[in-house]
Short mmCIF file of all heavy atoms in Angstrom, two decimals:
data_model
loop_
_atom_site.label_atom_id
_atom_site.label_comp_id
_atom_site.label_asym_id
_atom_site.label_seq_id
_atom_site.Cartn_x
_atom_site.Cartn_y
_atom_site.Cartn_z
N GLU A 573 10.60 -18.73 -4.11
CA GLU A 573 11.87 -18.44 -3.42
C GLU A 573 12.73 -17.49 -4.26
O GLU A 573 13.35 -16.57 -3.74
CB GLU A 573 12.63 -19.73 -3.11
CG GLU A 573 11.99 -20.57 -2.03
CD GLU A 573 11.80 -19.83 -0.71
OE1 GLU A 573 12.76 -19.16 -0.25
OE2 GLU A 573 10.69 -19.89 -0.14
N PHE A 574 12.75 -17.72 -5.57
CA PHE A 574 13.51 -16.83 -6.45
C PHE A 574 12.92 -15.42 -6.44
O PHE A 574 13.65 -14.43 -6.38
CB PHE A 574 13.54 -17.39 -7.88
CG PHE A 574 14.34 -16.52 -8.81
CD1 PHE A 574 15.72 -16.62 -8.86
CD2 PHE A 574 13.71 -15.58 -9.61
CE1 PHE A 574 16.47 -15.78 -9.68
CE2 PHE A 574 14.44 -14.75 -10.44
CZ PHE A 574 15.83 -14.85 -10.48
N TYR A 575 11.60 -15.29 -6.49
CA TYR A 575 10.96 -13.98 -6.51
C TYR A 575 11.21 -13.22 -5.21
O TYR A 575 11.28 -11.99 -5.22
CB TYR A 575 9.47 -14.10 -6.82
CG TYR A 575 9.19 -14.65 -8.20
CD1 TYR A 575 7.98 -15.24 -8.50
CD2 TYR A 575 10.15 -14.59 -9.22
CE1 TYR A 575 7.71 -15.75 -9.77
CE2 TYR A 575 9.90 -15.10 -10.48
CZ TYR A 575 8.67 -15.67 -10.75
OH TYR A 575 8.42 -16.18 -12.00
N LYS A 576 11.36 -13.93 -4.11
CA LYS A 576 11.72 -13.27 -2.85
C LYS A 576 13.10 -12.63 -2.99
O LYS A 576 13.31 -11.48 -2.58
CB LYS A 576 11.73 -14.28 -1.70
CG LYS A 576 10.37 -14.77 -1.29
CD LYS A 576 10.51 -15.86 -0.22
CE LYS A 576 9.22 -16.60 -0.02
NZ LYS A 576 9.37 -17.69 0.97
N LYS A 577 14.01 -13.37 -3.55
CA LYS A 577 15.39 -12.90 -3.71
C LYS A 577 15.50 -11.82 -4.79
O LYS A 577 16.16 -10.80 -4.59
CB LYS A 577 16.28 -14.10 -4.06
CG LYS A 577 17.77 -13.83 -3.99
CD LYS A 577 18.53 -15.14 -3.98
CE LYS A 577 19.26 -15.36 -5.25
NZ LYS A 577 20.12 -16.53 -5.26
N ALA A 578 14.87 -12.03 -5.92
CA ALA A 578 15.04 -11.13 -7.07
C ALA A 578 14.17 -9.88 -7.01
O ALA A 578 14.58 -8.82 -7.48
CB ALA A 578 14.73 -11.89 -8.37
N PHE A 579 12.97 -10.00 -6.44
CA PHE A 579 12.01 -8.89 -6.50
C PHE A 579 11.47 -8.49 -5.12
O PHE A 579 10.50 -7.74 -5.04
CB PHE A 579 10.85 -9.25 -7.44
CG PHE A 579 11.31 -9.58 -8.83
CD1 PHE A 579 11.23 -10.88 -9.31
CD2 PHE A 579 11.84 -8.60 -9.66
CE1 PHE A 579 11.67 -11.20 -10.58
CE2 PHE A 579 12.28 -8.91 -10.94
CZ PHE A 579 12.19 -10.21 -11.40
N GLY A 580 12.07 -9.01 -4.06
CA GLY A 580 11.63 -8.64 -2.72
C GLY A 580 10.24 -9.13 -2.38
O GLY A 580 9.55 -8.54 -1.54
N ALA A 581 9.80 -10.23 -3.02
CA ALA A 581 8.46 -10.76 -2.77
C ALA A 581 8.32 -11.20 -1.32
O ALA A 581 9.27 -11.67 -0.69
CB ALA A 581 8.17 -11.92 -3.71
N ALA A 639 18.28 -0.07 -7.87
CA ALA A 639 18.41 -1.12 -6.86
C ALA A 639 17.57 -2.34 -7.23
O ALA A 639 18.02 -3.49 -7.07
CB ALA A 639 18.02 -0.59 -5.49
N TRP A 640 16.36 -2.12 -7.72
CA TRP A 640 15.51 -3.24 -8.14
C TRP A 640 16.18 -4.00 -9.30
O TRP A 640 16.19 -5.23 -9.33
CB TRP A 640 14.13 -2.73 -8.56
CG TRP A 640 13.20 -2.52 -7.43
CD1 TRP A 640 13.22 -1.49 -6.53
CD2 TRP A 640 12.10 -3.35 -7.06
NE1 TRP A 640 12.19 -1.64 -5.64
CE2 TRP A 640 11.49 -2.76 -5.94
CE3 TRP A 640 11.56 -4.52 -7.59
CZ2 TRP A 640 10.37 -3.31 -5.32
CZ3 TRP A 640 10.45 -5.07 -6.98
CH2 TRP A 640 9.87 -4.47 -5.86
N TRP A 641 16.71 -3.26 -10.25
CA TRP A 641 17.35 -3.87 -11.42
C TRP A 641 18.55 -4.71 -10.98
O TRP A 641 18.68 -5.87 -11.37
CB TRP A 641 17.80 -2.76 -12.38
CG TRP A 641 18.38 -3.29 -13.66
CD1 TRP A 641 19.69 -3.48 -13.94
CD2 TRP A 641 17.65 -3.68 -14.82
NE1 TRP A 641 19.84 -3.98 -15.21
CE2 TRP A 641 18.60 -4.11 -15.77
CE3 TRP A 641 16.30 -3.72 -15.14
CZ2 TRP A 641 18.24 -4.57 -17.03
CZ3 TRP A 641 15.94 -4.18 -16.40
CH2 TRP A 641 16.89 -4.59 -17.32
N LYS A 642 19.40 -4.13 -10.16
CA LYS A 642 20.60 -4.83 -9.69
C LYS A 642 20.23 -6.10 -8.92
O LYS A 642 20.82 -7.16 -9.14
CB LYS A 642 21.46 -3.91 -8.83
CG LYS A 642 22.75 -4.56 -8.33
CD LYS A 642 23.61 -3.59 -7.57
CE LYS A 642 24.90 -4.14 -7.03
NZ LYS A 642 25.18 -5.51 -7.10
N ARG A 643 19.25 -6.00 -8.03
CA ARG A 643 18.83 -7.16 -7.25
C ARG A 643 18.34 -8.29 -8.17
O ARG A 643 18.71 -9.45 -7.98
CB ARG A 643 17.74 -6.76 -6.25
CG ARG A 643 17.26 -7.93 -5.40
CD ARG A 643 16.25 -7.52 -4.36
NE ARG A 643 15.11 -6.87 -4.98
CZ ARG A 643 14.20 -6.17 -4.32
NH1 ARG A 643 14.30 -6.01 -3.01
NH2 ARG A 643 13.19 -5.61 -4.94
N ALA A 644 17.55 -7.96 -9.17
CA ALA A 644 17.01 -8.97 -10.09
C ALA A 644 18.13 -9.63 -10.90
O ALA A 644 18.17 -10.86 -11.04
CB ALA A 644 15.98 -8.35 -11.02
N VAL A 645 19.03 -8.82 -11.43
CA VAL A 645 20.13 -9.36 -12.24
C VAL A 645 21.08 -10.17 -11.36
O VAL A 645 21.50 -11.28 -11.73
CB VAL A 645 20.86 -8.22 -13.00
CG1 VAL A 645 22.11 -8.73 -13.68
CG2 VAL A 645 19.91 -7.58 -14.02
N ALA A 647 20.35 -11.79 -8.74
CA ALA A 647 19.68 -13.03 -8.35
C ALA A 647 19.68 -14.07 -9.46
O ALA A 647 19.49 -15.25 -9.20
CB ALA A 647 18.24 -12.73 -7.91
N GLY A 648 19.88 -13.63 -10.71
CA GLY A 648 19.93 -14.59 -11.81
C GLY A 648 19.01 -14.30 -12.97
O GLY A 648 18.86 -15.14 -13.86
N CYS A 649 18.39 -13.13 -13.01
CA CYS A 649 17.58 -12.77 -14.17
C CYS A 649 18.49 -12.44 -15.34
O CYS A 649 19.56 -11.85 -15.17
CB CYS A 649 16.69 -11.57 -13.87
SG CYS A 649 15.28 -11.93 -12.82
N ASP A 669 13.25 -14.13 -15.99
CA ASP A 669 13.64 -14.94 -14.84
C ASP A 669 13.94 -16.38 -15.28
O ASP A 669 13.65 -16.75 -16.43
CB ASP A 669 12.60 -14.85 -13.72
CG ASP A 669 11.29 -15.58 -14.00
OD1 ASP A 669 11.28 -16.62 -14.69
OD2 ASP A 669 10.26 -15.12 -13.49
N MET A 677 10.80 -3.18 -15.88
CA MET A 677 10.85 -2.17 -14.83
C MET A 677 10.78 -0.81 -15.50
O MET A 677 11.44 -0.56 -16.50
CB MET A 677 12.13 -2.30 -14.02
CG MET A 677 12.22 -3.62 -13.30
SD MET A 677 13.70 -3.71 -12.30
CE MET A 677 13.82 -5.49 -12.12
#
Side-chain angles (χ1 to χ4, degrees):
E573 289 303 313
F574 181 82
Y575 296 158
K576 289 175 193 177
K577 191 165 110 174
F579 302 110
W640 277 75
W641 184 265
K642 181 176 179 353
R643 180 177 57 194
V645 172
C649 285
D669 72 32
M677 297 183 200

